[in-house]
Coordinates of all heavy atoms in Angstrom, one line a residue:
M1 N 2.1 -24.8 93.9 CA 1.6 -25.4 95.1 C 0.7 -26.6 94.7 O -0.1 -26.5 93.8 CB 0.8 -24.4 95.9 CG 0.2 -24.9 97.2 SD -0.5 -23.6 98.1 CE 0.4 -23.7 99.5
K2 N 0.8 -27.7 95.4 CA 0.1 -28.9 95.1 C -1.2 -29.0 95.8 O -1.3 -28.6 97.0 CB 1.0 -30.1 95.5 CG 0.6 -31.4 95.0 CD 1.7 -32.3 95.3 CE 1.3 -33.7 95.6 NZ 2.4 -34.6 95.9
S3 N -2.3 -29.3 95.1 CA -3.6 -29.5 95.7 C -3.7 -30.8 96.5 O -3.2 -31.8 96.0 CB -4.7 -29.5 94.6 OG -5.9 -29.8 95.1
H4 N -4.2 -30.7 97.7 CA -4.2 -31.9 98.5 C -5.6 -32.4 98.5 O -6.6 -31.7 98.7 CB -3.9 -31.5 100.0 CG -2.4 -31.1 100.1 ND1 -1.4 -32.0 100.1 CD2 -1.8 -29.9 100.2 CE1 -0.3 -31.4 100.3 NE2 -0.5 -30.1 100.3
E5 N -5.7 -33.7 98.3 CA -7.0 -34.5 98.4 C -7.3 -34.7 99.9 O -6.4 -34.9 100.7 CB -6.8 -35.8 97.7 CG -6.6 -35.8 96.2 CD -7.9 -35.4 95.5 OE1 -9.0 -35.9 95.9 OE2 -7.8 -34.6 94.5
P6 N -8.6 -34.6 100.2 CA -8.9 -34.9 101.6 C -8.6 -36.4 101.9 O -8.8 -37.2 101.0 CB -10.4 -34.6 101.7 CG -10.9 -34.5 100.4 CD -9.7 -34.2 99.4
P7 N -8.1 -36.7 103.1 CA -7.8 -38.1 103.5 C -9.1 -38.9 103.5 O -10.2 -38.5 103.7 CB -7.2 -38.0 104.8 CG -7.6 -36.7 105.4 CD -7.9 -35.8 104.2
A8 N -8.9 -40.2 103.4 CA -10.0 -41.2 103.4 C -10.4 -41.5 104.8 O -11.4 -42.2 105.0 CB -9.5 -42.5 102.7
W9 N -9.7 -41.0 105.8 CA -10.0 -41.2 107.2 C -10.5 -39.9 107.9 O -10.4 -38.8 107.3 CB -8.8 -41.7 107.9 CG -7.5 -41.0 107.7 CD1 -6.6 -41.2 106.7 CD2 -7.1 -39.8 108.4 NE1 -5.6 -40.3 106.7 CE2 -5.9 -39.4 107.7 CE3 -7.5 -39.1 109.4 CZ2 -5.1 -38.3 108.2 CZ3 -6.8 -38.0 109.9 CH2 -5.6 -37.6 109.2
S10 N -11.0 -40.0 109.1 CA -11.5 -38.9 109.8 C -11.0 -38.8 111.2 O -10.7 -39.8 111.8 CB -13.0 -39.0 109.9 OG -13.6 -38.0 110.6
F11 N -10.8 -37.6 111.7 CA -10.4 -37.4 113.1 C -11.5 -37.7 114.1 O -11.3 -38.1 115.2 CB -10.0 -36.0 113.4 CG -8.6 -35.6 113.0 CD1 -8.4 -34.7 111.9 CD2 -7.5 -36.2 113.5 CE1 -7.1 -34.4 111.5 CE2 -6.2 -35.9 113.1 CZ -6.0 -35.0 112.1
L12 N -12.8 -37.6 113.6 CA -13.9 -37.7 114.5 C -14.7 -39.0 114.2 O -14.9 -39.4 113.1 CB -14.9 -36.5 114.3 CG -14.3 -35.1 114.5 CD1 -15.4 -34.1 114.2 CD2 -13.8 -35.0 115.9
T13 N -15.1 -39.6 115.3 CA -16.0 -40.8 115.2 C -17.4 -40.3 114.8 O -17.7 -39.2 114.9 CB -16.1 -41.5 116.5 OG1 -16.8 -40.7 117.5 CG2 -14.7 -41.9 117.1
N14 N -18.2 -41.3 114.3 CA -19.6 -41.0 114.0 C -20.3 -40.5 115.2 O -21.2 -39.6 115.1 CB -20.3 -42.2 113.4 CG -19.8 -42.4 112.0 OD1 -19.3 -41.5 111.3 ND2 -20.1 -43.6 111.5
H15 N -20.0 -41.0 116.4 CA -20.6 -40.5 117.6 C -20.3 -39.0 117.8 O -21.2 -38.2 118.2 CB -20.1 -41.3 118.9 CG -20.7 -42.7 118.9 ND1 -20.4 -43.7 118.0 CD2 -21.6 -43.2 119.8 CE1 -21.1 -44.8 118.3 NE2 -21.8 -44.5 119.4
A16 N -19.1 -38.6 117.6 CA -18.7 -37.2 117.8 C -19.5 -36.3 116.7 O -19.9 -35.2 117.0 CB -17.2 -37.0 117.7
K17 N -19.5 -36.8 115.5 CA -20.2 -36.1 114.4 C -21.7 -36.0 114.7 O -22.3 -34.9 114.5 CB -20.0 -36.8 113.1 CG -18.6 -36.8 112.6 CD -18.4 -37.6 111.3 CE -17.0 -37.7 110.9 NZ -16.9 -38.6 109.7
V18 N -22.3 -37.0 115.3 CA -23.8 -36.9 115.7 C -23.9 -35.9 116.8 O -24.8 -35.0 116.7 CB -24.3 -38.3 116.1 CG1 -25.6 -38.2 116.8 CG2 -24.4 -39.2 114.9
L19 N -23.1 -35.9 117.8 CA -23.1 -34.9 118.8 C -23.0 -33.5 118.3 O -23.7 -32.5 118.7 CB -22.1 -35.1 119.9 CG -22.4 -36.1 121.0 CD1 -21.2 -36.2 121.9 CD2 -23.6 -35.6 121.8
L20 N -22.1 -33.3 117.3 CA -21.9 -32.0 116.7 C -23.1 -31.5 115.9 O -23.5 -30.4 116.0 CB -20.6 -32.0 115.8 CG -20.2 -30.7 115.2 CD1 -20.0 -29.7 116.3 CD2 -18.9 -30.9 114.4
C21 N -23.7 -32.4 115.2 CA -25.0 -32.1 114.5 C -26.0 -31.7 115.5 O -26.8 -30.7 115.2 CB -25.5 -33.3 113.7 SG -24.6 -33.7 112.2
I22 N -26.2 -32.4 116.6 CA -27.2 -32.0 117.6 C -26.8 -30.7 118.3 O -27.7 -29.9 118.6 CB -27.4 -33.2 118.6 CG1 -28.0 -34.4 117.8 CG2 -28.2 -32.8 119.8 CD1 -28.1 -35.7 118.6
A23 N -25.5 -30.4 118.5 CA -25.1 -29.2 119.1 C -25.6 -28.0 118.2 O -26.0 -27.0 118.7 CB -23.6 -29.1 119.3
V24 N -25.5 -28.2 116.9 CA -25.8 -27.1 115.9 C -27.3 -27.0 115.8 O -27.9 -25.9 115.7 CB -25.2 -27.4 114.6 CG1 -25.7 -26.5 113.5 CG2 -23.6 -27.3 114.7
N25 N -28.0 -28.2 115.8 CA -29.5 -28.2 115.6 C -30.1 -29.2 116.6 O -30.3 -30.4 116.2 CB -29.8 -28.5 114.2 CG -31.3 -28.5 113.9 OD1 -32.1 -28.2 114.8 ND2 -31.7 -28.9 112.7
P26 N -30.5 -28.8 117.8 CA -31.0 -29.8 118.8 C -32.4 -30.4 118.4 O -32.8 -31.4 118.9 CB -31.2 -28.9 120.0 CG -30.4 -27.7 119.8 CD -30.3 -27.5 118.4
G27 N -33.0 -29.9 117.4 CA -34.3 -30.4 116.9 C -34.1 -31.2 115.6 O -35.1 -31.6 115.0
A28 N -32.9 -31.6 115.3 CA -32.7 -32.3 114.0 C -33.4 -33.7 114.0 O -33.4 -34.3 115.0 CB -31.2 -32.5 113.8
R29 N -33.9 -34.0 112.9 CA -34.5 -35.4 112.7 C -33.3 -36.4 112.5 O -32.3 -36.0 112.0 CB -35.4 -35.4 111.5 CG -36.6 -34.5 111.7 CD -37.5 -34.5 110.5 NE -36.7 -34.0 109.3 CZ -37.1 -34.0 108.1 NH1 -38.3 -34.4 107.8 NH2 -36.3 -33.6 107.1
L30 N -33.6 -37.6 112.9 CA -32.6 -38.7 112.7 C -32.2 -38.8 111.2 O -31.0 -39.0 110.9 CB -33.1 -40.0 113.2 CG -33.2 -40.0 114.7 CD1 -33.9 -41.3 115.1 CD2 -31.9 -39.9 115.4
R31 N -33.1 -38.6 110.3 CA -32.8 -38.7 108.9 C -31.8 -37.6 108.5 O -30.9 -37.8 107.7 CB -34.1 -38.5 108.1 CG -33.9 -38.5 106.6 CD -35.2 -38.3 105.8 NE -36.4 -38.6 106.6 CZ -37.6 -38.1 106.4 NH1 -37.8 -37.3 105.4 NH2 -38.6 -38.4 107.2
D32 N -32.0 -36.4 109.0 CA -31.1 -35.2 108.7 C -29.7 -35.5 109.3 O -28.7 -35.1 108.7 CB -31.7 -33.9 109.2 CG -33.0 -33.6 108.6 OD1 -33.3 -34.0 107.4 OD2 -33.9 -33.0 109.3
I33 N -29.7 -36.0 110.6 CA -28.4 -36.3 111.2 C -27.7 -37.3 110.4 O -26.5 -37.2 110.1 CB -28.7 -36.8 112.6 CG1 -29.2 -35.7 113.5 CG2 -27.4 -37.4 113.2 CD1 -29.7 -36.1 114.9
G34 N -28.4 -38.4 110.0 CA -27.7 -39.4 109.1 C -27.1 -38.8 107.9 O -26.0 -39.2 107.5
E35 N -27.9 -38.0 107.2 CA -27.4 -37.4 105.9 C -26.2 -36.5 106.2 O -25.2 -36.6 105.4 CB -28.5 -36.6 105.3 CG -29.6 -37.4 104.6 CD -30.7 -36.6 104.0 OE1 -30.6 -35.3 103.9 OE2 -31.7 -37.2 103.7
A36 N -26.2 -35.7 107.2 CA -25.1 -34.8 107.5 C -23.8 -35.6 107.9 O -22.7 -35.2 107.5 CB -25.5 -33.9 108.7
V37 N -24.0 -36.7 108.6 CA -22.8 -37.5 109.0 C -22.4 -38.5 107.9 O -21.2 -38.9 107.9 CB -23.2 -38.3 110.3 CG1 -22.1 -39.2 110.8 CG2 -23.5 -37.3 111.5
G38 N -23.3 -38.9 107.1 CA -23.0 -39.8 106.0 C -23.2 -41.3 106.4 O -22.5 -42.2 106.0
I39 N -24.2 -41.4 107.3 CA -24.6 -42.7 107.8 C -26.1 -42.9 107.5 O -26.8 -41.9 107.2 CB -24.3 -42.9 109.3 CG1 -25.0 -41.9 110.1 CG2 -22.8 -42.9 109.5 CD1 -24.8 -42.0 111.6
T40 N -26.6 -44.1 107.7 CA -28.1 -44.3 107.5 C -28.9 -43.8 108.7 O -28.3 -43.5 109.8 CB -28.4 -45.8 107.4 OG1 -28.0 -46.5 108.7 CG2 -27.6 -46.5 106.3
E41 N -30.1 -43.6 108.5 CA -31.0 -43.1 109.6 C -31.0 -44.1 110.7 O -31.0 -43.8 111.9 CB -32.4 -42.9 109.0 CG -33.4 -42.4 110.1 CD -34.8 -42.2 109.5 OE1 -35.0 -42.2 108.2 OE2 -35.7 -42.0 110.3
R42 N -31.0 -45.4 110.4 CA -30.9 -46.5 111.4 C -29.7 -46.4 112.2 O -29.7 -46.5 113.5 CB -31.0 -47.8 110.7 CG -31.1 -49.0 111.7 CD -31.2 -50.3 110.9 NE -31.4 -51.4 111.8 CZ -32.5 -52.1 111.9 NH1 -33.5 -51.8 111.2 NH2 -32.5 -53.1 112.8
A43 N -28.5 -46.1 111.6 CA -27.3 -46.0 112.3 C -27.3 -44.7 113.2 O -26.8 -44.7 114.4 CB -26.1 -45.9 111.4
A44 N -27.9 -43.6 112.7 CA -28.0 -42.4 113.5 C -28.9 -42.7 114.7 O -28.6 -42.3 115.9 CB -28.7 -41.3 112.7
H45 N -30.0 -43.5 114.6 CA -30.9 -43.8 115.7 C -30.1 -44.6 116.7 O -30.2 -44.4 117.9 CB -32.0 -44.7 115.1 CG -33.1 -44.9 116.2 ND1 -33.0 -46.0 117.0 CD2 -34.2 -44.3 116.5 CE1 -34.1 -46.0 117.8 NE2 -34.8 -45.0 117.5
R46 N -29.3 -45.6 116.3 CA -28.5 -46.4 117.2 C -27.5 -45.6 118.0 O -27.4 -45.7 119.2 CB -27.7 -47.5 116.4 CG -26.9 -48.4 117.3 CD -26.0 -49.4 116.5 NE -25.2 -48.8 115.4 CZ -24.1 -48.2 115.6 NH1 -23.6 -48.0 116.8 NH2 -23.4 -47.7 114.6
I47 N -26.8 -44.6 117.3 CA -25.9 -43.8 118.0 C -26.5 -42.9 119.0 O -26.1 -42.7 120.1 CB -25.0 -43.0 116.9 CG1 -24.1 -44.0 116.2 CG2 -24.2 -41.9 117.6 CD1 -23.4 -43.4 115.0
V48 N -27.7 -42.3 118.6 CA -28.4 -41.4 119.5 C -28.8 -42.2 120.7 O -28.7 -41.7 121.9 CB -29.6 -40.7 118.8 CG1 -30.6 -40.1 119.8 CG2 -29.1 -39.7 117.8
D49 N -29.3 -43.4 120.5 CA -29.7 -44.3 121.7 C -28.5 -44.6 122.6 O -28.6 -44.5 123.8 CB -30.3 -45.6 121.2 CG -31.7 -45.5 120.8 OD1 -32.3 -44.4 121.0 OD2 -32.2 -46.4 120.1
E50 N -27.3 -44.8 122.0 CA -26.1 -45.1 122.7 C -25.7 -43.9 123.5 O -25.3 -44.0 124.7 CB -25.0 -45.6 121.8 CG -25.2 -47.0 121.3 CD -24.1 -47.4 120.3 OE1 -23.3 -46.6 119.9 OE2 -24.2 -48.6 119.8
L51 N -25.7 -42.7 122.9 CA -25.3 -41.5 123.6 C -26.3 -41.1 124.7 O -25.9 -40.6 125.7 CB -25.3 -40.3 122.5 CG -24.1 -40.4 121.5 CD1 -24.3 -39.4 120.4 CD2 -22.8 -40.2 122.2
T52 N -27.6 -41.4 124.5 CA -28.6 -41.2 125.5 C -28.4 -42.1 126.7 O -28.4 -41.7 127.8 CB -30.0 -41.3 124.9 OG1 -30.2 -40.4 123.8 CG2 -31.1 -41.1 126.0
G53 N -28.2 -43.4 126.4 CA -27.9 -44.4 127.4 C -26.7 -44.2 128.2 O -26.6 -44.5 129.4
A54 N -25.7 -43.5 127.6 CA -24.4 -43.2 128.3 C -24.5 -41.9 129.1 O -23.6 -41.5 129.8 CB -23.3 -43.2 127.3
G55 N -25.6 -41.2 128.9 CA -25.8 -39.9 129.6 C -25.3 -38.7 128.9 O -25.3 -37.6 129.5
Y56 N -24.8 -38.8 127.7 CA -24.4 -37.7 126.9 C -25.5 -36.8 126.3 O -25.3 -35.6 126.0 CB -23.4 -38.1 125.8 CG -22.1 -38.5 126.4 CD1 -21.8 -39.8 126.8 CD2 -21.0 -37.6 126.6 CE1 -20.6 -40.2 127.4 CE2 -19.8 -38.0 127.1 CZ -19.6 -39.3 127.5 OH -18.5 -39.6 128.1
L57 N -26.6 -37.4 126.1 CA -27.8 -36.7 125.5 C -29.0 -37.0 126.4 O -29.1 -38.1 127.0 CB -28.2 -37.3 124.2 CG -27.3 -36.9 123.0 CD1 -27.9 -37.6 121.7 CD2 -27.3 -35.4 122.7
S58 N -29.9 -36.0 126.4 CA -31.2 -36.2 127.0 C -32.2 -35.9 125.9 O -31.9 -35.1 125.0 CB -31.5 -35.2 128.1 OG -30.6 -35.4 129.2
R59 N -33.3 -36.6 125.9 CA -34.3 -36.5 124.8 C -35.6 -36.1 125.4 O -36.0 -36.6 126.4 CB -34.4 -37.9 124.1 CG -35.2 -37.9 122.9 CD -35.3 -39.3 122.2 NE -34.5 -40.3 122.9 CZ -33.9 -41.3 122.2 NH1 -34.0 -41.4 120.9 NH2 -33.3 -42.2 122.9
S60 N -36.3 -35.1 124.7 CA -37.6 -34.8 125.1 C -38.5 -34.6 123.9 O -38.0 -34.4 122.8 CB -37.6 -33.5 126.0 OG -37.1 -32.4 125.2
R61 N -39.8 -34.6 124.1 CA -40.7 -34.5 123.0 C -41.1 -33.0 122.8 O -41.3 -32.3 123.8 CB -42.0 -35.3 123.2 CG -41.8 -36.8 123.2 CD -41.3 -37.4 121.9 NE -42.4 -37.4 120.9 CZ -42.2 -37.8 119.7 NH1 -41.1 -38.2 119.3 NH2 -43.2 -37.8 118.9
D62 N -41.1 -32.6 121.6 CA -41.5 -31.2 121.2 C -42.6 -31.4 120.1 O -42.2 -31.4 118.9 CB -40.3 -30.4 120.7 CG -40.7 -28.9 120.5 OD1 -41.8 -28.5 120.9 OD2 -39.8 -28.2 119.9
G63 N -43.8 -31.6 120.5 CA -44.9 -31.9 119.6 C -44.7 -33.4 119.1 O -44.5 -34.3 119.9
R64 N -44.5 -33.5 117.8 CA -44.3 -34.9 117.2 C -42.8 -35.2 117.1 O -42.5 -36.2 116.6 CB -45.0 -34.9 115.9 CG -46.5 -34.9 116.0 CD -47.2 -34.9 114.7 NE -46.7 -36.0 113.8 CZ -46.9 -36.0 112.5 NH1 -47.5 -35.0 111.9 NH2 -46.4 -36.9 111.8
R65 N -42.0 -34.2 117.4 CA -40.5 -34.4 117.2 C -39.8 -34.5 118.5 O -40.2 -34.1 119.5 CB -40.0 -33.2 116.4 CG -40.7 -33.2 115.0 CD -40.1 -32.2 114.1 NE -38.7 -32.4 113.8 CZ -38.1 -31.6 112.9 NH1 -38.8 -30.6 112.3 NH2 -36.9 -31.7 112.6
N66 N -38.6 -35.1 118.4 CA -37.7 -35.1 119.5 C -36.8 -33.9 119.5 O -36.5 -33.3 118.5 CB -36.7 -36.4 119.4 CG -37.5 -37.6 119.7 OD1 -38.3 -37.7 120.6 ND2 -37.1 -38.7 119.0
R67 N -36.5 -33.5 120.7 CA -35.5 -32.4 120.9 C -34.5 -32.9 121.8 O -34.8 -33.6 122.8 CB -36.2 -31.2 121.5 CG -35.3 -30.0 121.6 CD -36.1 -28.7 121.7 NE -35.3 -27.5 121.6 CZ -34.8 -27.0 120.4 NH1 -35.2 -27.6 119.3 NH2 -34.0 -26.0 120.4
Y68 N -33.2 -32.7 121.5 CA -32.1 -33.2 122.2 C -31.4 -32.2 123.0 O -31.2 -31.0 122.5 CB -31.1 -33.9 121.3 CG -31.8 -35.0 120.5 CD1 -32.2 -34.8 119.2 CD2 -32.0 -36.3 121.0 CE1 -32.8 -35.8 118.4 CE2 -32.6 -37.3 120.3 CZ -33.0 -37.0 119.0 OH -33.6 -38.0 118.3
T69 N -30.9 -32.5 124.2 CA -30.1 -31.7 125.0 C -28.8 -32.4 125.3 O -28.8 -33.6 125.7 CB -30.7 -31.3 126.4 OG1 -32.0 -30.7 126.1 CG2 -29.9 -30.4 127.2
I70 N -27.6 -31.7 125.0 CA -26.3 -32.3 125.2 C -26.0 -32.1 126.7 O -26.0 -30.9 127.1 CB -25.3 -31.8 124.3 CG1 -25.6 -32.2 122.8 CG2 -23.9 -32.3 124.7 CD1 -24.8 -31.5 121.8
N71 N -25.6 -33.1 127.4 CA -25.1 -32.9 128.8 C -23.6 -32.6 128.7 O -22.8 -33.5 128.8 CB -25.5 -34.2 129.6 CG -27.0 -34.5 129.6 OD1 -27.7 -33.5 129.8 ND2 -27.4 -35.7 129.4
S72 N -23.4 -31.3 128.5 CA -22.0 -30.9 128.2 C -21.0 -31.0 129.3 O -19.8 -30.9 129.1 CB -22.1 -29.4 127.8 OG -22.6 -28.6 128.8
H73 N -21.5 -31.4 130.5 CA -20.6 -31.6 131.7 C -19.9 -33.0 131.6 O -18.9 -33.2 132.4 CB -21.3 -31.4 133.0 CG -22.3 -32.5 133.2 ND1 -23.6 -32.4 132.5 CD2 -22.3 -33.7 133.9 CE1 -24.3 -33.5 132.9 NE2 -23.5 -34.3 133.7
M74 N -20.4 -33.8 130.8 CA -19.8 -35.2 130.7 C -18.4 -35.2 130.2 O -18.1 -34.4 129.3 CB -20.7 -36.1 129.8 CG -22.1 -36.3 130.2 SD -22.2 -37.3 131.7 CE -21.8 -38.9 131.0
P75 N -17.6 -36.1 130.6 CA -16.2 -36.1 130.2 C -16.1 -36.7 128.7 O -16.9 -37.5 128.3 CB -15.5 -37.1 131.2 CG -16.6 -38.0 131.6 CD -17.8 -37.1 131.7
V76 N -15.1 -36.3 128.0 CA -14.8 -36.9 126.7 C -14.4 -38.3 127.0 O -13.5 -38.6 127.8 CB -13.7 -36.1 126.0 CG1 -13.3 -36.8 124.7 CG2 -14.1 -34.7 125.7
P77 N -15.0 -39.3 126.3 CA -14.8 -40.7 126.7 C -13.5 -41.3 126.1 O -13.6 -42.5 125.8 CB -16.1 -41.4 126.1 CG -16.4 -40.6 125.0 CD -16.1 -39.1 125.3
D78 N -12.5 -40.6 125.9 CA -11.2 -41.1 125.4 C -10.2 -40.9 126.5 O -10.2 -39.9 127.2 CB -10.8 -40.4 124.1 CG -11.8 -40.7 123.0 OD1 -11.9 -41.9 122.6 OD2 -12.4 -39.8 122.4
P79 N -9.2 -41.9 126.6 CA -8.3 -41.8 127.7 C -7.4 -40.5 127.7 O -7.2 -39.9 128.7 CB -7.4 -43.0 127.4 CG -8.2 -43.9 126.6 CD -9.1 -43.1 125.8
L80 N -6.9 -40.0 126.6 CA -6.0 -38.9 126.6 C -6.7 -37.6 127.0 O -6.2 -36.9 127.9 CB -5.3 -38.7 125.2 CG -4.3 -39.8 124.9 CD1 -3.7 -39.6 123.5 CD2 -3.1 -39.7 126.0
P81 N -7.9 -37.2 126.4 CA -8.5 -36.0 126.8 C -9.6 -36.1 127.8 O -10.5 -35.3 128.0 CB -9.1 -35.5 125.4 CG -9.5 -36.7 124.8 CD -8.4 -37.7 125.1
R82 N -9.6 -37.2 128.6 CA -10.7 -37.5 129.5 C -10.9 -36.3 130.5 O -12.0 -36.1 131.0 CB -10.4 -38.8 130.3 CG -11.5 -39.1 131.2 CD -11.7 -40.5 131.5 NE -12.1 -41.2 130.3 CZ -12.0 -42.5 130.1 NH1 -11.4 -43.2 131.0 NH2 -12.4 -43.0 129.0
A83 N -9.9 -35.5 130.8 CA -10.1 -34.4 131.8 C -11.0 -33.3 131.1 O -11.5 -32.4 131.8 CB -8.8 -33.9 132.2
Q84 N -11.2 -33.3 129.8 CA -11.9 -32.3 129.1 C -13.4 -32.7 129.2 O -13.8 -33.9 129.2 CB -11.5 -32.2 127.7 CG -10.0 -31.7 127.6 CD -9.8 -30.4 128.3 OE1 -10.5 -29.5 128.1 NE2 -8.7 -30.4 129.0
K85 N -14.3 -31.7 129.1 CA -15.7 -31.9 129.1 C -16.2 -31.9 127.6 O -15.6 -31.2 126.8 CB -16.5 -30.8 129.8 CG -16.0 -30.7 131.2 CD -16.4 -31.9 132.1 CE -16.0 -31.7 133.5 NZ -15.3 -32.8 134.0
V86 N -17.2 -32.7 127.3 CA -17.7 -32.8 125.9 C -18.2 -31.5 125.4 O -18.0 -31.1 124.2 CB -18.8 -33.9 125.8 CG1 -20.1 -33.5 126.5 CG2 -19.0 -34.4 124.4
G87 N -18.7 -30.6 126.3 CA -19.2 -29.3 125.9 C -18.0 -28.4 125.3 O -18.2 -27.7 124.4
D88 N -16.8 -28.6 126.0 CA -15.7 -27.8 125.5 C -15.2 -28.2 124.1 O -14.9 -27.4 123.3 CB -14.5 -28.0 126.5 CG -14.8 -27.4 127.9 OD1 -15.7 -26.5 128.0 OD2 -14.2 -27.9 128.9
L89 N -15.2 -29.5 123.9 CA -14.9 -30.1 122.6 C -15.9 -29.6 121.5 O -15.5 -29.2 120.4 CB -14.8 -31.6 122.6 CG -14.6 -32.3 121.3 CD1 -13.2 -31.9 120.8 CD2 -14.7 -33.8 121.5
L90 N -17.2 -29.7 121.8 CA -18.2 -29.3 120.8 C -18.1 -27.8 120.6 O -18.3 -27.4 119.4 CB -19.6 -29.7 121.3 CG -19.8 -31.2 121.3 CD1 -21.1 -31.5 122.0 CD2 -19.8 -31.8 119.9
A91 N -17.8 -27.0 121.6 CA -17.7 -25.5 121.4 C -16.5 -25.2 120.4 O -16.7 -24.4 119.5 CB -17.4 -24.8 122.7
V92 N -15.4 -25.9 120.5 CA -14.3 -25.7 119.6 C -14.7 -26.2 118.2 O -14.5 -25.5 117.2 CB -13.1 -26.5 120.1 CG1 -12.0 -26.5 119.0 CG2 -12.5 -25.8 121.4
L93 N -15.3 -27.3 118.1 CA -15.7 -27.9 116.8 C -16.8 -27.1 116.1 O -16.8 -27.0 114.8 CB -16.1 -29.4 116.9 CG -15.0 -30.3 117.3 CD1 -15.6 -31.7 117.6 CD2 -13.9 -30.4 116.3
A94 N -17.6 -26.5 116.8 CA -18.7 -25.7 116.3 C -18.3 -24.2 116.0 O -19.1 -23.4 115.6 CB -19.9 -25.7 117.2
G95 N -17.0 -23.9 116.4 CA -16.5 -22.6 116.1 C -16.9 -21.6 117.2 O -16.9 -20.4 116.9
R96 N -17.3 -22.0 118.3 CA -17.6 -21.1 119.4 C -16.5 -21.3 120.5 O -15.9 -22.3 120.6 CB -19.0 -21.5 120.0 CG -20.1 -21.3 119.1 CD -21.4 -21.5 119.7 NE -21.7 -22.9 120.1 CZ -22.2 -23.8 119.2 NH1 -22.6 -23.4 118.1 NH2 -22.4 -25.0 119.6
G97 N -16.4 -20.3 121.3 CA -15.4 -20.4 122.4 C -15.9 -21.3 123.5 O -17.1 -21.6 123.6
P98 N -15.0 -21.8 124.3 CA -15.4 -22.7 125.4 C -16.3 -22.1 126.4 O -17.0 -22.8 127.2 CB -14.1 -23.2 126.0 CG -13.0 -22.2 125.5 CD -13.6 -21.6 124.3
D99 N -16.4 -20.8 126.5 CA -17.3 -20.1 127.5 C -18.7 -19.9 126.9 O -19.5 -19.3 127.6 CB -16.7 -18.8 127.9 CG -15.4 -19.0 128.7 OD1 -15.2 -20.0 129.3 OD2 -14.5 -18.1 128.6
S100 N -18.9 -20.3 125.7 CA -20.2 -20.2 125.1 C -21.3 -20.9 125.9 O -21.0 -21.9 126.5 CB -20.2 -20.7 123.7 OG -21.5 -20.7 123.1
K101 N -22.5 -20.3 125.9 CA -23.6 -20.9 126.7 C -24.1 -22.2 126.0 O -24.6 -23.1 126.6 CB -24.7 -19.9 126.9 CG -24.3 -18.8 127.7 CD -24.0 -19.2 129.1 CE -23.6 -18.0 130.0 NZ -23.0 -18.4 131.2
R102 N -24.1 -22.2 124.7 CA -24.5 -23.4 123.9 C -23.4 -24.4 123.8 O -22.2 -24.1 123.7 CB -24.9 -23.0 122.5 CG -26.3 -22.4 122.5 CD -26.7 -22.1 121.1 NE -26.7 -23.4 120.3 CZ -26.8 -23.4 119.0 NH1 -27.0 -22.3 118.3 NH2 -26.7 -24.5 118.3
P103 N -23.7 -25.8 124.0 CA -22.7 -26.8 123.8 C -22.1 -26.9 122.5 O -22.7 -26.5 121.5 CB -23.4 -28.1 124.3 CG -24.8 -27.8 124.2 CD -25.0 -26.3 124.2

């Protein structure tokens, strides 16, 4: 049996990866999100701002840190799966069933 190298491309965009990181840890720091996704902290900040501006995330303060809430009712922003909700996609990617209470 031949060992397969992982492909140089990804199924998920950095925006989806950031959402997944936040779904797993809503209190994650931008630095931690960037490291997990493989992007800079500045890029993570830009993506979080874009996701917040588009209504996919809400941000609140928890002491000195931000805490994020995913608005899981939002549609997946791609033409083919648009009928699906972002919470359903994140539940599958995070290894939880679509009926899970957490996004």
Side-chain angles (χ1 to χ4, degrees):
M1 182 176 240
K2 193 167 148 182
S3 174
H4 293 281
E5 294 285 323
W9 47 270
S10 175
F11 280 115
L12 302 176
T13 66
N14 285 342
H15 285 68
K17 292 176 186 177
V18 167
L19 273 177
L20 186 55
C21 283
I22 290 171
V24 171
N25 182 4
R29 296 176 301 174
L30 292 171
R31 178 181 341 155
D32 299 330
I33 293 169
E35 286 177 11
V37 173
I39 58 177
T40 64
E41 182 177 349
R42 184 179 183 109
H45 188 274
R46 179 185 53 78
I47 290 171
V48 166
D49 281 349
E50 289 173 356
L51 291 168
T52 302
Y56 286 87
L57 285 178
S58 298
R59 185 179 1 213
S60 61
R61 295 295 285 179
D62 186 11
R64 293 177 48 198
R65 296 185 62 176
N66 286 321
R67 184 158 191 82
Y68 303 99
T69 302
I70 296 172
N71 299 319
S72 57
H73 66 280
M74 296 290 290
V76 174
D78 293 302
L80 288 176
R82 183 151 293 158
Q84 300 301 313
K85 304 291 182 233
V86 73
D88 297 335
L89 175 63
L90 291 172
V92 169
L93 294 173
R96 295 185 291 270
D99 295 331
S100 173
K101 296 294 179 197
R102 283 185 53 191

